[in-house]
Structure formats: C-alpha cells, structure tokens
Amino acid sequence: MSELTTAARPYARAVFEMAKESEGLATWSASLNFMGAIASHADVAALLETPRMAKQAGADALIQFCDGKLDDKAQNLVKTLAENNRIKLLPEISILFEVLKDEEEGRVEATVKTAKKLTKAEEKSIADALKKRLGRDVKLKISIDKALLGGVIIQAGDLVIDGSIQGRLKQMTAAMAG
Amino acid sequence: MQLNPTEISDLIKKRIDSFEMDAEARTEGTIVSIMDGIVRIHGLSDVMSGEMIEFSNGAYGLALNLERDSVGAVVLGDYKSITEGDIAKCTGRILDVPVGPEMLGRVVDSLGAPIDGKGPVDTQLMGSIERQAPGVIDRKSVDEPMETGIKALDSMVPVGRGQRELIIGDRQTGKTAVAIDAIINQKGNDVKCIYVAVGQKASSVAGVVRKLEEFGAMDYTIVVAANASDPASMQYLAPYAGCAMGEYFRDRGENALIIYDDLTKQAWAYRQVSLLLRRPPGREAYPGDVFFLHSRLLERSARVNADYVERMTNGEVKGKTGSLTAYPIIETQEGDVSAFVATNVISITDGQIFLDTDLFNSGNRPAIDAGLSVSRVGGSAQTKIIKKLGGGIRLDLAQYRELAAFSQFASDLDEGTRKQLERGERVTALMNQAQYSPLSTGELAFTLFSANEGFLDDLEVKKVNAFEDALLAHLRANQTDFLDKINQTGDYNDSIADEMRSILENFKSTSTW
C-alpha cells in the first residue's frame, strides 16, 4: 500500500499541476475517479496483468473500456502509465489527486463514525469545531457504527479524535489494569 | 479464587479517582505488513524517530525507519497476535524506562518491567533510553579508583571511576567471572551496579543472580536481562535501558558500575533488526552504523563534575561528582581481536582486559594476558600504594612470558635471566585468584609487597598460593587496624614500608603454610 503511494505520487503531482494550469481540476478529478474505478475492477485488473496486455495493448484496452469518455490528455496519461507498467496505480493516483485538490481548495475530508444518526445541528457543530482545529474547511463523511455505543470518532488524515463510549471503556480498562 | 495484585481496594480506589474521562486525540496508522517482528505502518505522518508506538494488542513498538509513506518499527514483545490491517497509535513518547533506587535488587527486562516475580516496581521517574552523553564542559577527569578486588586487574590494568574498560576473550575464559567479582567487590563501597545480560541463556542469568544474592550483592545491583529467547529488538535495547538506569545514579552525584554482557550479541541482534528493516548491510553484514551503536552507548559512561550534578538535580545535590564506569564484554572467536565489532569496541574503550584461552587452560585464573591488556587512564586513578607497589608488574609479567617461550630452547641461562624467570613464575602464581574472593587495597598491597621485596624468592612455586593464603589469614586476624589504615588513606611512605616489612618478616619466621 505504502509502496504504491510512493510510486503514484509523482504521477498525481504531475497531473495535478497540469490540471491547475489548465484550470481543469474538476474534469480531471472526474476522469481520474472514473479511470480508477475501472482499473480497480477485479476483471479489468486481472486482464491488465496478463503478459499480452503489456504496455501499448493494455493502454488501448483501458481506453476502449472507458468508451470515449477520456479526452486526449487523459489518454496520454494512460499511455504513459502503460509505458512504465504502472496502470495499476490509477486508483492510488486518483486518491492522491483528491488529497492535493482538497489541499489546494483549503478543504479536508473527515470521516465521522457515530453510534446514532446525527442531527443537522450536531453535524454543523462538529464541522465548525474541526474547522477551528484544522484551520480548513471540512468535508464530513458520516457513517454509523452501533459498536461505539455512544459518542463519535472523527478521523481526518492520520489524526483520530476518539470521543466514543467504546474508546472510554478501553481507556478505563487500561487504567484499571495498571 | 485467586486475586490479582492489582485488585487491592485501595489501588482500585486510587485508579478510579485519578481516571480522567477525556476525548482522546491521537495519530493513527494501519499495519501494512508484519514479519519477523518488524511492522510496516502506513500513515503515522507525525511520528518521531525512536517514538513508542502502541498496537491494538497492547504491545509497544519502536519507530526506527521513517520513510516517505510508511514507518518501519520493531515490536517490543509478543508480535504473534498483531495482524495486518490492525491500528497502530502514536504515543508521543520517546522510549523510556523506569529509573531510581527502587530498581535496586530487581531483575527487569529491557523495558524495565520486573521479571523476577517480586511484584511491581514502584518507581517515581522515567529515564529516556537514548540520551546524549555529557559534553566536554560537564566532565571531570578520572582520578578515583574503581577497585575490582582482583589482584591482576587492580595492579596491572587499574580502572578509574568513569572509565570504560573492555573485557575481551573467547568463550569460557572467565569474562563474566571477572565482571561478577567486580560487582561483589563493590559491597560497602557505595557503588551501585547494573548487570546487563544480552542474548544469554536464562539459566546463566539465573545463576548470576543467585551468586549475587549469595554474596549480598543484589542489594545494590540491578539486573537487566534480555535472554536468548527474547525478541532481537529487546536484546538490542537492553544495554541502553541499563545505561539509562545507571545514568540516574551518575546524575545524582553517585557512583555506578555497569556491565554489558555482552555487546557482541547486542550487535548481532541489531544486525538482525537492521537487515529485516532492509537497511544496507556492510562488513560482516553489520549495518553502517554499528560503530555508532556502541560509541554512543559507551560515551554515556563518564565522570561528571559537581556543576553538572547540581544542574541535573536542580541544586538538590551540591559539590558531588558522579560517575558511571562501564565494563563492556566482547566475545571473540578463536582469539581473533581483529573482528569488526571487537576492533570497534577496542577503539572506543579506554583499554582492555584480554583473557586468553591458553592461559586459562594452563591454570591461570583470571587468565589475563599481561601483554595485550592495557588501561589508558586507570593509572592516574590508582591509590598511591598500589601504584608504587604494582608499577612494574605488568611489564615484568609480559617480559617473563616472552622470555619463558625462548628459554625453553636454551640449555644454560645466565644468572640475570634465570632470576627473572624464577621471579616471573612466582608472580604468575601469585596473580592466581579464586572466584568470589576479592581483596582489599591493604591485602593487595601486602601480596605485591611480598613479591617486590623478595619474600617469595626462597619459596617453591607451588607453595606461593599457600603462603599467600596463610599471610592473608594472619593479616585479617592480627593486623586489621593496619589494613584499615591502608584501605582508608592508600598512602605509601618509608614508615609504612618498614612496618609492612617487619610484619612480613615476623610472619615468615613464625608461621607455617
């Protein structure tokens, strides 16, 4: 996973800078997302792994799968990736591109796990508090996990803020066991 | 029903009292791979080098490789229950161990957790495992002796407090025995001892602890043990943990002695960790920083001045210097002192005690090679009397060994050579000493004096040890005042020499052995 990220970073950065210059961040985001989804599909991934699909053949196949939805530059990206045998990096590139885009737009994505469904007001107060702490706009991604028993766990990048009952019980267990 | 020691109501009450409910903010990563005690973690972007990482099974890890998108860490302890995909948390703490006088008398592992079954250790302070050694300004020159009670050592390779003296030799040449004798001799000297056992059989460590207990030495000793069955990470860390415990005493203006038994095995453990972390191998497959591994450890053994002690204790302890003396041990293969780790440690330390298999097999205990053993700073730390009486012994013995080798082929020898040989034989016999029987300064002075002044010349070589035993018994029974005087002052002048001579003459004319 980490090795893929390392390999994908220069591509993502190059695409991002080109997109920024040509003011096509949104288009690129959509097409990378699309290509990433296709490349990570199990059947496609297996097909691209076969030796006959190496280099140019693989790139052509992938471009055909996308069914004319890719513009010239996106096609060039796929060809460049194929040239270096890196087509399977597409999902990673897409993720990294999103991170760079969020950073550029002063936004950050945070996942919030809760035990119960949050009210709109609660969501807003979480978003506001996070904005204060991280100094950026926060895009919340909310999921429900009954195992937490109560409270929320917020995750933004590597930072985790654990305010759940489950987490407190764990803390208490550790404190009691000494 | 069995109760846990942590289930005492008072303890529970205190814990409930002190427990704070707080949302916990932390940095998390995911374990990508785990193999042979090495984990790779994705995420953890804020982790520090050497930081403790907590795994979901409660075990800790140590972050060693900080790479662009991953962190390489070693697991300290059991890694069987850690799986790929588990969460790893930053703790924000650089690895530290409990330190303090409460640790004395205990056997602990590399993290300072007791393994002697005597319950928890109630320490107040933690000491960082990796610390910068005291700088030039903070140091004081070595000028107090660290007596081992071993005749051959104290007279030929004297060690001062704050010195690093290597004990090197093949397996089974008595390296550990020398170190244990040194610990036993510190009884009543107010020197705290730390014995670090790395990669040894658990039975050997248990044997050492039993011996120390038998001689009442555990009261002032901490044993840090990372046995052969412990993970390589623990074996690599044990010397640093022991050093942190020793530094506590040094920084409080006390004297401490630390024994690393042995650094060869620690280098092996570090080599294992490094190779698994995919660091490039160098000579003998050791990583590039194996010299620094030992140099930074041994630099922390030092004599520090009173200003430093005052600063470290916030003015609590004034006008006292502190010291940490180190006896690192290196095991050689077939007497090869030019192996990589051996040459490294020889160049770092302030001298070495070389134990030789041939000498050991010909019955010399301790089997010290007088020619190869040196102490670079110890001479300035010797007491006056030992310095005066033991001055020429090392060279005499070294020359005797050379001469003895040559004279085997010679049919007739001149008077001078024959005398030198006879003298050498007697001094060699005199330097023999049984284990666990350290001598005080005064007793050592008497044995050296009897050799210097020719009291042994008319004895048969095999009677020398019997003579010495009888002499020591006589001194301990009849001359305690005089011995105490020498032990306390360490002075030597004509009147003391005259008194020693008359005691010896008197003893020789009236006693049998």
Side-chain angles (χ1 to χ4, degrees), chain B residues 122-139:
Chain B
D122 195 18
T123 50
Q124 311 294 321
L125 293 166
M126 300 294 275
S128 184
I129 267 192
E130 292 279 3
R131 255 183 69 189
Q132 192 78 39
V136 182
I137 307 292
D138 301 323
R139 294 190 184 227

Side-chain angles (χ1 to χ4, degrees), chain B residues 106-263:
Chain B
R106 302 302 300 267
V107 183
V108 296
D109 69 8
S110 303
L111 298 177
I115 50 174
D116 53 5
K118 291 183 186 163
V121 192
D122 195 18
T123 50
Q124 311 294 321
L125 293 166
M126 300 294 275
S128 184
I129 267 192
E130 292 279 3
R131 255 183 69 189
Q132 192 78 39
V136 182
I137 307 292
D138 301 323
R139 294 190 184 227
K140 188 175 186 310
S141 55
V142 173
D143 60 3
E144 281 175 12
M146 164 64 68
E147 277 144 354
T148 59
I150 302 172
K151 282 176 283 186
L153 255 59
D154 286 346
S155 58
M156 296 195 289
V157 273
V159 175
R161 287 179 176 174
Q163 191 182 339
R164 298 89 40 92
E165 180 83 4
L166 170 66
I167 302 174
I168 185 167
D170 277 10
R171 60 184 181 83
Q172 289 295 316
T173 49
K175 299 185 298 298
T176 304
V178 167
I180 299 304
D181 273 0
I183 292 184
I184 290 172
N185 192 48
Q186 302 313 317
K187 194 171 188 175
N189 279 0
D190 207 21
V191 175
K192 309 291 188 291
C193 300
I194 296 125
Y195 179 76
V196 183
V198 184
Q200 294 193 39
K201 293 183 298 235
S203 63
S204 313
V205 179
V208 167
V209 173
R210 204 173 319 116
K211 271 291 169 224
L212 291 176
E213 269 167 0
E214 205 176 292
F215 289 93
M218 270 314 271
D219 300 340
Y220 53 86
T221 304
I222 306 169
V223 176
V224 182
N227 297 329
S229 61
D230 288 331
S233 52
M234 298 289 257
Q235 295 183 34
Y236 150 58
L237 287 174
Y240 296 100
C243 192
M245 293 169 196
E247 275 175 330
Y248 168 83
F249 299 110
R250 183 197 70 194
D251 292 348
R252 297 194 62 81
E254 295 176 48
N255 297 303
L257 168 70
I258 187 162
I259 286 149
Y260 304 111
D261 193 2
D262 62 75
L263 289 185

